[in-house]
Amino acid sequence: MTALAQALTPLIARADLERALEQFTPRLQSQYSTHMRAKFGLVEKYPEDSAFFNDSFELMESEGVDYTRFFRALSCLDSHDNASLIDLFVDRTKAEKWLSEYLLRCEKEALKTPERCEQMRKVNPKYILRNYLAQQAIDKAEQGDFSLVHTLAEVLKTPYDEQSECNYLAKLPPEWGKRMAISCSS
């Protein structure tokens, strides 16, 4: 929104653009809150939730935990033990403390764990198009082999579904692909 406003500065006064942007802030914050609640499996709103979301993201960042894998593991607490989630963290004590806080927060919800997790799996994908996968697909396609392009296209049609034959596509990037960036022209 800010980038669009910046592009419009030759046509519209900056003060008018800033006022227009301010109108969107409450709506964007509300949508963000709704989105985060869905990802965490929370329906009820509590004043401390915003701080909980922030603490959760700070913990993920400080521990180098992959966002997609974290939320998918969280959404599978009904079918896996807590170790699947805890194992994502280097500092298991911090992770266990966070998980205890999360489970306490979940106790305030009307939904029971199986229903909550089922709903969470609908918003927390198992499969995403990671840059290294895109690059591998591009490299193969340049050699005339479009098999990975087709596989990725098929898997990403239903990224929330368990597709056990494609679990290798849900793995973390290899070392060489961790900081890879793909340009828009790719």
Side-chain angles (χ1 to χ4, degrees):
M1 300 287 293
T2 302
L4 175 60
Q6 186 69 26
L8 294 173
T9 55
L11 305 171
I12 302 171
R14 184 173 301 274
D16 292 338
L17 290 168
E18 287 173 2
R19 276 194 300 280
L21 285 174
E22 287 172 8
Q23 291 177 13
F24 288 98
T25 299
R27 187 176 302 163
L28 291 171
Q29 288 173 337
S30 174
Q31 287 300 309
Y32 176 78
S33 176
T34 299
H35 181 68
M36 286 300 104
R37 282 180 204 300
K39 293 192 81 56
F40 281 99
L42 305 175
V43 176
E44 304 296 324
K45 292 182 182 181
Y46 290 94
E48 62 274 10
D49 286 347
S50 184
F52 174 76
F53 297 153
N54 290 336
D55 292 346
S56 300
F57 289 114
E58 286 176 14
L59 178 62
M60 279 189 271
E61 184 177 351
S62 71
E63 289 285 304
V65 173
D66 182 80
Y67 180 89
T68 302
R69 291 175 60 104
F70 170 83
F71 279 108
R72 189 61 182 199
L74 188 64
S75 69
C76 293
L77 287 179
D78 62 333
S79 58
H80 296 82
D81 59 13
N82 296 349
S84 298
L85 181 70
I86 301 298
D87 287 346
L88 298 174
F89 293 83
V90 174
D91 189 332
R92 296 176 64 83
T93 303
K94 279 185 183 178
E96 288 168 355
K97 180 180 182 289
W98 179 89
L99 182 58
S100 293
E101 292 171 9
Y102 171 72
L103 294 173
L104 280 173
R105 172 58 183 83
C106 288
E107 287 178 10
K108 297 178 181 180
E109 296 291 321
L111 281 179
K112 299 297 176 216
T113 300
E115 294 84 15
R116 182 178 60 254
C117 289
E118 183 179 332
Q119 288 189 4
M120 290 169 63
R121 284 190 290 271
K122 293 176 183 176
V123 296
N124 291 314
K126 179 172 183 174
Y127 304 97
I128 60 170
L129 182 60
R130 293 184 183 274
N131 290 342
Y132 86 95
L133 292 171
Q135 187 61 55
Q136 287 178 330
I138 291 167
D139 292 346
K140 282 185 165 197
E142 287 175 341
Q143 302 301 314
D145 178 359
F146 291 86
S147 62
L148 186 53
V149 171
H150 296 304
T151 298
L152 288 170
E154 197 59 36
V155 167
L156 293 172
K157 284 180 185 176
T158 55
Y160 304 97
D161 296 349
E162 288 294 332
Q163 302 175 56
S164 58
E165 70 281 2
C166 295
N167 279 345
Y168 67 98
L169 297 174
K171 291 184 177 181
L172 287 173
E175 278 305 312
W176 62 265
K178 285 186 177 174
R179 299 204 189 326
M180 177 178 279
I182 301 292
S183 73
C184 294
S185 63
S186 298

